[in-house]
Short mmCIF file of all heavy atoms in Angstrom, two decimals:
data_model
loop_
_atom_site.label_atom_id
_atom_site.label_comp_id
_atom_site.label_asym_id
_atom_site.label_seq_id
_atom_site.Cartn_x
_atom_site.Cartn_y
_atom_site.Cartn_z
N PHE A 127 6.54 35.44 1.53
CA PHE A 127 5.64 36.52 1.80
C PHE A 127 5.64 36.97 3.37
O PHE A 127 6.00 36.11 4.13
CB PHE A 127 4.17 36.28 1.48
CG PHE A 127 3.68 35.00 1.95
CD1 PHE A 127 3.03 34.94 3.14
CD2 PHE A 127 3.76 33.81 1.25
CE1 PHE A 127 2.47 33.70 3.71
CE2 PHE A 127 3.21 32.57 1.69
CZ PHE A 127 2.56 32.63 2.95
N ARG A 128 5.12 38.14 3.70
CA ARG A 128 5.17 38.48 5.11
C ARG A 128 4.09 37.75 5.93
O ARG A 128 3.11 37.25 5.48
CB ARG A 128 4.77 40.14 5.18
CG ARG A 128 5.84 41.03 4.63
CD ARG A 128 5.23 42.44 4.54
NE ARG A 128 4.31 42.62 3.50
CZ ARG A 128 3.57 43.58 3.28
NH1 ARG A 128 3.71 44.67 4.14
NH2 ARG A 128 2.64 43.69 2.32
N LEU A 129 4.62 37.55 7.14
CA LEU A 129 3.90 36.73 8.18
C LEU A 129 3.24 37.52 9.17
O LEU A 129 3.74 38.65 9.59
CB LEU A 129 4.76 35.67 8.64
CG LEU A 129 5.34 34.64 7.80
CD1 LEU A 129 6.30 33.75 8.54
CD2 LEU A 129 4.29 33.86 7.01
N ALA A 130 2.08 37.05 9.74
CA ALA A 130 1.44 37.59 10.90
C ALA A 130 2.19 36.90 12.17
O ALA A 130 2.70 36.03 12.08
CB ALA A 130 -0.06 37.29 10.85
N PRO A 131 2.08 37.66 13.33
CA PRO A 131 1.30 38.83 13.66
C PRO A 131 2.01 40.24 13.25
O PRO A 131 1.34 41.34 13.43
CB PRO A 131 0.99 38.72 14.98
CG PRO A 131 2.29 38.21 15.55
CD PRO A 131 2.64 37.16 14.60
N GLU A 132 3.35 40.07 12.78
CA GLU A 132 3.96 41.28 12.52
C GLU A 132 3.28 42.10 11.42
O GLU A 132 3.33 43.31 11.33
CB GLU A 132 5.50 40.95 12.12
CG GLU A 132 6.29 40.36 13.27
CD GLU A 132 6.16 38.82 13.18
OE1 GLU A 132 5.23 38.29 12.59
OE2 GLU A 132 7.05 38.35 13.89
N HIS A 133 2.79 41.30 10.47
CA HIS A 133 2.11 41.84 9.27
C HIS A 133 0.80 41.19 9.16
O HIS A 133 0.58 40.10 8.57
CB HIS A 133 2.99 41.72 8.10
CG HIS A 133 4.27 42.17 8.18
ND1 HIS A 133 4.71 43.46 8.19
CD2 HIS A 133 5.51 41.51 8.42
CE1 HIS A 133 6.02 43.49 8.33
NE2 HIS A 133 6.52 42.42 8.48
N LYS A 134 -0.36 41.97 9.48
CA LYS A 134 -1.60 41.42 9.46
C LYS A 134 -2.20 41.61 8.00
O LYS A 134 -1.66 42.26 7.13
CB LYS A 134 -2.55 42.06 10.43
CG LYS A 134 -2.07 41.76 11.92
CD LYS A 134 -2.95 42.43 12.89
CE LYS A 134 -2.56 42.11 14.40
NZ LYS A 134 -2.86 40.71 14.66
N PHE A 135 -3.49 40.98 7.81
CA PHE A 135 -4.22 41.10 6.56
C PHE A 135 -4.39 42.67 6.25
O PHE A 135 -4.59 43.32 7.18
CB PHE A 135 -5.56 40.39 6.76
CG PHE A 135 -6.40 40.62 5.57
CD1 PHE A 135 -6.33 39.84 4.47
CD2 PHE A 135 -7.43 41.68 5.64
CE1 PHE A 135 -7.27 39.98 3.34
CE2 PHE A 135 -8.28 41.78 4.55
CZ PHE A 135 -8.19 41.06 3.35
N PRO A 136 -4.15 42.99 4.97
CA PRO A 136 -3.93 42.26 3.85
C PRO A 136 -2.57 41.97 3.35
O PRO A 136 -2.32 41.90 2.13
CB PRO A 136 -4.74 42.96 2.75
CG PRO A 136 -4.57 44.40 3.19
CD PRO A 136 -4.50 44.36 4.70
N ALA A 137 -1.67 42.06 4.29
CA ALA A 137 -0.19 42.06 3.87
C ALA A 137 0.19 40.86 3.01
O ALA A 137 0.79 40.97 1.85
CB ALA A 137 0.78 42.10 5.11
N ALA A 138 -0.15 39.68 3.40
CA ALA A 138 0.25 38.38 2.65
C ALA A 138 -0.54 38.50 1.26
O ALA A 138 0.05 37.94 0.16
CB ALA A 138 -0.19 37.19 3.53
N VAL A 139 -1.70 38.96 1.21
CA VAL A 139 -2.46 39.03 -0.01
C VAL A 139 -1.89 40.00 -0.97
O VAL A 139 -1.64 39.67 -2.13
CB VAL A 139 -4.00 39.34 0.10
CG1 VAL A 139 -4.61 39.55 -1.26
CG2 VAL A 139 -4.62 38.36 1.02
N GLU A 140 -1.34 41.04 -0.49
CA GLU A 140 -0.59 42.01 -1.33
C GLU A 140 0.63 41.48 -1.82
O GLU A 140 1.08 41.75 -3.02
CB GLU A 140 -0.20 43.33 -0.48
CG GLU A 140 -1.43 44.19 0.00
CD GLU A 140 -1.12 45.27 0.88
OE1 GLU A 140 -0.09 45.19 1.58
OE2 GLU A 140 -2.04 46.08 1.15
N ASP A 141 1.37 40.70 -0.99
CA ASP A 141 2.61 40.01 -1.53
C ASP A 141 2.36 38.90 -2.49
O ASP A 141 3.06 38.74 -3.44
CB ASP A 141 3.35 39.44 -0.32
CG ASP A 141 3.84 40.39 0.65
OD1 ASP A 141 3.83 41.67 0.30
OD2 ASP A 141 4.42 40.07 1.75
N ALA A 142 1.13 38.20 -2.32
CA ALA A 142 0.82 37.26 -3.35
C ALA A 142 0.54 37.79 -4.67
O ALA A 142 1.06 37.39 -5.65
CB ALA A 142 -0.44 36.47 -2.78
N ALA A 143 -0.26 38.95 -4.60
CA ALA A 143 -0.51 39.65 -5.84
C ALA A 143 0.81 40.10 -6.47
O ALA A 143 1.04 40.13 -7.73
CB ALA A 143 -1.52 40.74 -5.71
N SER A 144 1.61 40.79 -5.74
CA SER A 144 2.96 41.28 -6.19
C SER A 144 3.76 40.19 -6.90
O SER A 144 4.40 40.32 -7.88
CB SER A 144 3.75 41.88 -5.06
OG SER A 144 3.10 43.03 -4.54
N THR A 145 3.80 39.00 -6.28
CA THR A 145 4.54 37.96 -6.87
C THR A 145 4.01 37.55 -8.22
O THR A 145 4.76 37.24 -9.12
CB THR A 145 4.44 36.68 -5.83
OG1 THR A 145 5.00 37.10 -4.63
CG2 THR A 145 5.30 35.57 -6.38
N VAL A 146 2.73 37.33 -8.30
CA VAL A 146 2.14 36.96 -9.52
C VAL A 146 2.41 38.03 -10.65
O VAL A 146 2.71 37.68 -11.78
CB VAL A 146 0.57 36.83 -9.37
CG1 VAL A 146 -0.13 36.44 -10.80
CG2 VAL A 146 0.28 35.59 -8.43
N GLN A 147 2.22 39.33 -10.21
CA GLN A 147 2.50 40.33 -11.21
C GLN A 147 3.88 40.34 -11.64
O GLN A 147 4.32 40.43 -12.93
CB GLN A 147 2.09 41.65 -10.61
CG GLN A 147 2.26 42.87 -11.61
CD GLN A 147 1.09 42.82 -12.69
OE1 GLN A 147 -0.09 42.83 -12.31
NE2 GLN A 147 1.56 42.71 -13.91
N TRP A 148 4.81 40.11 -10.74
CA TRP A 148 6.34 40.12 -11.16
C TRP A 148 6.66 39.03 -11.99
O TRP A 148 7.35 39.21 -13.03
CB TRP A 148 7.12 40.01 -9.89
CG TRP A 148 8.55 40.06 -10.06
CD1 TRP A 148 9.34 41.27 -10.09
CD2 TRP A 148 9.41 39.09 -10.46
NE1 TRP A 148 10.66 40.95 -10.42
CE2 TRP A 148 10.75 39.68 -10.60
CE3 TRP A 148 9.36 37.68 -10.58
CZ2 TRP A 148 11.99 38.90 -10.83
CZ3 TRP A 148 10.49 36.90 -10.83
CH2 TRP A 148 11.78 37.54 -10.99
N VAL A 149 6.09 37.82 -11.68
CA VAL A 149 6.31 36.65 -12.60
C VAL A 149 5.79 36.88 -13.93
O VAL A 149 6.42 36.71 -15.03
CB VAL A 149 5.65 35.28 -12.07
CG1 VAL A 149 5.84 34.21 -13.00
CG2 VAL A 149 6.42 34.99 -10.73
N PHE A 150 4.64 37.48 -14.08
CA PHE A 150 4.03 37.81 -15.34
C PHE A 150 4.92 38.78 -16.17
O PHE A 150 5.21 38.70 -17.31
CB PHE A 150 2.58 38.31 -15.17
CG PHE A 150 1.96 38.74 -16.47
CD1 PHE A 150 1.41 37.80 -17.38
CD2 PHE A 150 1.78 40.09 -16.78
CE1 PHE A 150 0.78 38.15 -18.56
CE2 PHE A 150 1.26 40.50 -17.97
CZ PHE A 150 0.72 39.56 -18.96
N ASP A 151 5.36 39.79 -15.47
CA ASP A 151 6.09 40.96 -16.05
C ASP A 151 7.55 40.47 -16.53
O ASP A 151 8.14 41.08 -17.44
CB ASP A 151 6.34 42.07 -15.06
CG ASP A 151 5.06 42.84 -14.81
OD1 ASP A 151 4.05 42.67 -15.68
OD2 ASP A 151 4.89 43.56 -13.81
N HIS A 152 7.97 39.34 -15.76
CA HIS A 152 9.45 38.81 -16.16
C HIS A 152 9.28 37.47 -16.86
O HIS A 152 10.26 36.79 -16.70
CB HIS A 152 10.17 38.85 -14.80
CG HIS A 152 10.50 40.16 -14.31
ND1 HIS A 152 9.60 40.93 -13.68
CD2 HIS A 152 11.50 40.91 -14.37
CE1 HIS A 152 10.21 42.06 -13.10
NE2 HIS A 152 11.28 42.11 -13.66
N ALA A 153 8.21 37.16 -17.39
CA ALA A 153 8.01 35.83 -18.02
C ALA A 153 9.09 35.50 -18.98
O ALA A 153 9.63 34.41 -19.00
CB ALA A 153 6.65 35.74 -18.71
N GLU A 154 9.52 36.60 -19.87
CA GLU A 154 10.44 36.30 -20.84
C GLU A 154 11.84 35.87 -20.30
O GLU A 154 12.53 34.95 -20.67
CB GLU A 154 10.65 37.44 -21.73
CG GLU A 154 11.51 37.28 -22.96
CD GLU A 154 11.69 38.39 -23.84
OE1 GLU A 154 10.78 39.31 -23.68
OE2 GLU A 154 12.49 38.43 -24.87
N SER A 155 12.27 36.72 -19.22
CA SER A 155 13.44 36.45 -18.61
C SER A 155 13.59 35.14 -17.80
O SER A 155 14.58 34.45 -17.67
CB SER A 155 13.92 37.64 -17.66
OG SER A 155 12.99 37.64 -16.56
N LEU A 156 12.26 34.61 -17.36
CA LEU A 156 12.17 33.37 -16.70
C LEU A 156 12.03 32.18 -17.65
O LEU A 156 12.11 31.04 -17.20
CB LEU A 156 10.98 33.41 -15.72
CG LEU A 156 11.16 34.22 -14.48
CD1 LEU A 156 9.74 34.37 -13.82
CD2 LEU A 156 12.06 33.71 -13.56
N GLY A 157 11.83 32.51 -18.83
CA GLY A 157 11.62 31.43 -19.98
C GLY A 157 10.42 30.84 -19.93
O GLY A 157 10.20 29.72 -20.48
N ILE A 158 9.28 31.53 -19.46
CA ILE A 158 8.07 30.96 -19.30
C ILE A 158 6.97 31.77 -20.19
O ILE A 158 7.29 32.88 -20.69
CB ILE A 158 7.49 30.85 -17.89
CG1 ILE A 158 7.34 32.29 -17.32
CG2 ILE A 158 8.30 30.09 -16.99
CD1 ILE A 158 6.59 32.51 -16.01
N MET A 159 5.83 31.18 -20.42
CA MET A 159 4.78 31.92 -21.23
C MET A 159 3.91 32.58 -20.28
O MET A 159 3.39 32.18 -19.36
CB MET A 159 4.04 30.86 -22.08
CG MET A 159 4.86 30.21 -23.04
SD MET A 159 3.80 28.98 -24.06
CE MET A 159 3.76 27.58 -22.82
N GLY A 160 3.61 33.90 -20.72
CA GLY A 160 2.89 34.73 -19.75
C GLY A 160 1.48 34.40 -19.52
O GLY A 160 0.76 34.64 -18.44
N ASP A 161 0.94 33.53 -20.45
CA ASP A 161 -0.44 33.17 -20.31
C ASP A 161 -0.53 31.64 -19.82
O ASP A 161 -1.50 31.08 -19.86
CB ASP A 161 -1.19 33.15 -21.75
CG ASP A 161 -0.49 32.29 -22.71
OD1 ASP A 161 0.64 31.74 -22.60
OD2 ASP A 161 -1.14 32.12 -23.81
N LYS A 162 0.51 31.20 -19.26
CA LYS A 162 0.67 29.87 -18.63
C LYS A 162 1.14 29.99 -17.27
O LYS A 162 2.07 29.13 -16.91
CB LYS A 162 1.54 28.82 -19.52
CG LYS A 162 0.99 28.60 -20.90
CD LYS A 162 -0.47 28.04 -20.99
CE LYS A 162 -0.89 27.82 -22.20
NZ LYS A 162 -2.34 27.07 -22.36
N ILE A 163 0.59 30.77 -16.50
CA ILE A 163 0.94 31.04 -14.98
C ILE A 163 -0.15 30.44 -14.21
O ILE A 163 -1.31 31.02 -14.24
CB ILE A 163 1.31 32.44 -14.75
CG1 ILE A 163 2.48 32.89 -15.68
CG2 ILE A 163 1.61 32.59 -13.27
CD1 ILE A 163 2.73 34.43 -15.44
N ALA A 164 0.10 29.46 -13.32
CA ALA A 164 -0.93 29.04 -12.42
C ALA A 164 -0.49 29.37 -10.98
O ALA A 164 0.69 29.70 -10.72
CB ALA A 164 -0.91 27.43 -12.52
N VAL A 165 -1.54 29.40 -10.11
CA VAL A 165 -1.22 29.62 -8.76
C VAL A 165 -1.71 28.40 -7.92
O VAL A 165 -2.52 27.68 -8.28
CB VAL A 165 -2.00 30.88 -8.22
CG1 VAL A 165 -1.48 32.12 -8.98
CG2 VAL A 165 -3.60 30.73 -8.35
N GLY A 166 -1.07 28.28 -6.77
CA GLY A 166 -1.35 27.13 -5.86
C GLY A 166 -0.89 27.38 -4.54
O GLY A 166 -0.05 28.32 -4.17
#
Side-chain angles (χ1 to χ4, degrees):
F127 55 85
R128 288 172 292 174
L129 298 177
E132 296 90 339
H133 307 284
K134 294 181 178 291
F135 175 81
V139 176
E140 292 171 347
D141 292 355
S144 293
T145 303
V146 176
Q147 186 68 61
W148 186 90
V149 171
F150 178 75
D151 291 341
H152 293 80
E154 185 175 353
S155 62
L156 290 169
I158 63 172
M159 296 179 284
D161 61 346
K162 297 297 180 182
I163 298 173
V165 295

